[in-house]
Amino acid sequence: VNLGRVGREGLGRGYGMAWVRGERRRAGGMSLRSEADFLRQLASLLTAGVPPSRGLDALARQLPGRSRVVARTLLAAVEQGEPISSGAVHLPQEFSEAEVALLRASERGGQLEAALVRLAEQRETKAEWRDRLLTRLIYPVIMLHAGAMVNAAVTWFQRGSGPALWALLSLLVPVYGVVALLVVGIRYARQMAGLRETVDTIGWHFPVLGGVLRRLALARCLHTYEALYLAGVGPVAAIDLAASAGDQAVLSARLQRSRAVLAEGHGLDEALEAAQVLTPVQLSLVATGVASGRLDQMLAKLREQVEREASTAIDRLGRILPGIAYLIVAIWIISMIIKLMAGYIQGLNDLMNG
């Protein structure tokens, strides 16, 4: 696809898609907060009446790294006479299929600025969830490392520094290896069609963690569906795109039931009831919105409720994990103390018997 020239630098130097692709490979990826900042800045420029080409060119000159490449790629489409959504198609790392559809529908309805703000809000919410989860994991990690250090200290007291270092590494390296294998294995397994559903099903039903994954996926789906609905996307197409936004095979399969019900002409409340992904209280919100003609307001309330549940689930996980880590370390330290005392008593017995 030839998107033409994407701006100028210096004395009229142009850069086409071949140049942009090269820059894209070198620039790496954008963080969620960087993407949110970019989208909010673009929305602000468009709201202020700045033409898209001028606004994107200003962002391309101002922003560093991957953000500059994104701005230039979108600018390429605009300078070719195409909408911003046409440029977003060539940025799958930043814009999913559902987000491209949202941008396209928003451009047709004259709501592009609002759509950009919604996309920024989605990224900010995801970043907040990620940061909250990582924060909750810090204490358990510290506790496990403290247990390893205690074991090394006991070994140093008994046998010296060399064995102590070996005791420390022999505990931590296998743990790091198992964690790395799990992360890489799950990531690659989810990229394989035959294994993705199995991995997602295990995660969906896993104690405690499954609740977090279910609520996060559902919150993403609802946020996407709400944005698509407000942009004027049809209910069947919107549910298809929202199902993919959840990035969870079990949830996507259940939402396909909703698609079939919607295709038969039933309301969204009946469709979501068939999917069995909402509680009775949540379904009543949707039904009220359908009956009163205020579905947009009810969708916003439903999305906020599910997002609160997701945050609560993350906090609950953050309370459980430290307790588990504390119990493991406590059992570990007690076993080492018992082993140390047993060796000490054995030594005394040997002296007395000798």
Side-chain angles (χ1 to χ4, degrees):
V1 178
N2 180 18
L3 296 182
R5 298 167 70 84
V6 290
R8 300 181 181 277
E9 288 182 332
L11 299 176
R13 173 187 167 218
Y15 38 89
M17 274 307 297
W19 184 89
V20 169
R21 292 192 185 99
E23 285 291 295
R24 187 181 303 167
R25 287 192 295 270
R26 291 190 291 272
M30 293 173 66
S31 68
L32 289 172
R33 296 196 185 279
S34 296
E35 290 183 12
D37 290 342
F38 173 84
L39 293 168
R40 284 196 178 277
Q41 289 185 63
L42 180 57
S44 298
L45 290 169
L46 297 179
T47 302
V50 178
S53 58
R54 184 178 300 176
L56 288 168
D57 184 64
L59 291 175
R61 294 174 183 275
Q62 171 187 329
L63 298 176
R66 178 71 180 179
S67 300
R68 176 179 298 173
V69 175
V70 172
R72 287 171 173 169
T73 305
L74 298 178
L75 179 59
V78 173
E79 289 193 338
Q80 192 72 10
E82 299 176 357
I84 287 177
S85 59
S86 296
V89 172
H90 302 281
L91 295 165
Q93 188 174 344
E94 284 76 28
F95 298 97
S96 67
E97 181 183 357
E99 291 171 340
V100 172
L102 171 61
L103 292 175
R104 187 174 293 123
S106 300
E107 287 168 335
R108 289 196 299 264
Q111 304 177 27
L112 179 58
E113 296 86 348
L116 291 171
V117 171
R118 291 191 192 99
L119 292 179
E121 290 173 347
Q122 288 181 0
R123 284 154 174 77
E124 289 164 351
T125 301
K126 289 167 66 176
E128 180 183 351
W129 287 336
R130 179 202 59 197
D131 294 345
R132 179 176 296 186
L133 183 58
L134 291 177
T135 300
R136 299 299 187 274
L137 291 175
I138 290 176
Y139 182 69
V141 170
I142 292 175
M143 287 292 297
L144 291 175
H145 282 76
M149 293 298 294
V150 169
N151 179 63
V154 171
T155 305
W156 176 80
F157 178 76
Q158 290 180 318
R159 300 165 56 191
S161 59
L165 179 60
W166 173 252
L168 180 64
L169 294 178
S170 63
L171 286 173
L172 292 183
V173 170
V175 172
Y176 293 154
V178 169
V179 172
L181 285 175
L182 282 175
V183 172
V184 174
I186 291 174
R187 178 174 299 179
Y188 278 97
R190 295 190 78 245
Q191 295 176 359
M192 303 172 64
L195 293 177
R196 175 173 181 150
E197 186 173 352
T198 301
V199 172
D200 285 355
T201 301
I202 294 173
W204 184 270
H205 296 288
F206 202 84
V208 184
L209 180 61
V212 176
L213 296 177
R214 288 195 298 270
R215 288 172 175 82
L216 291 178
L218 182 58
R220 290 194 297 268
C221 287
L222 290 174
H223 205 149
T224 301
Y225 186 89
E226 178 193 6
L228 292 167
Y229 173 80
L230 293 175
V233 177
V236 176
I239 205 73
D240 279 339
L241 294 167
S244 65
D247 194 29
Q248 225 289 339
V250 177
L251 180 59
S252 297
R254 293 192 178 189
L255 287 176
Q256 288 304 312
R257 306 174 193 168
S258 298
R259 185 189 190 283
V261 175
L262 286 171
E264 294 173 358
H266 296 282
L268 181 63
D269 53 334
E270 297 176 89
L272 291 177
E273 184 178 6
Q276 297 181 339
V277 295
L278 298 180
T279 65
V281 173
Q282 293 167 345
L283 283 171
S284 67
L285 284 175
V286 181
T288 301
V290 172
S292 64
R294 295 183 292 117
L295 183 57
D296 54 343
Q297 299 177 24
M298 293 300 105
L299 284 175
K301 291 181 179 180
L302 175 60
R303 185 249 309 162
E304 292 170 359
Q305 180 181 348
V306 174
E307 287 180 349
R308 285 195 300 270
E309 290 180 355
S311 298
T312 302
I314 292 174
D315 292 338
R316 186 183 301 115
L317 180 64
R319 291 192 297 269
I320 292 174
L321 288 179
I324 295 175
Y326 183 81
L327 180 63
I328 292 174
V329 172
I331 294 174
W332 194 353
I333 291 176
I334 290 173
S335 66
M336 287 188 294
I337 292 174
I338 293 174
K339 182 178 179 181
L340 178 64
M341 293 301 298
Y344 180 72
I345 293 173
Q346 182 64 40
L348 290 178
N349 290 334
D350 291 343
L351 287 174
M352 293 177 63
N353 294 331

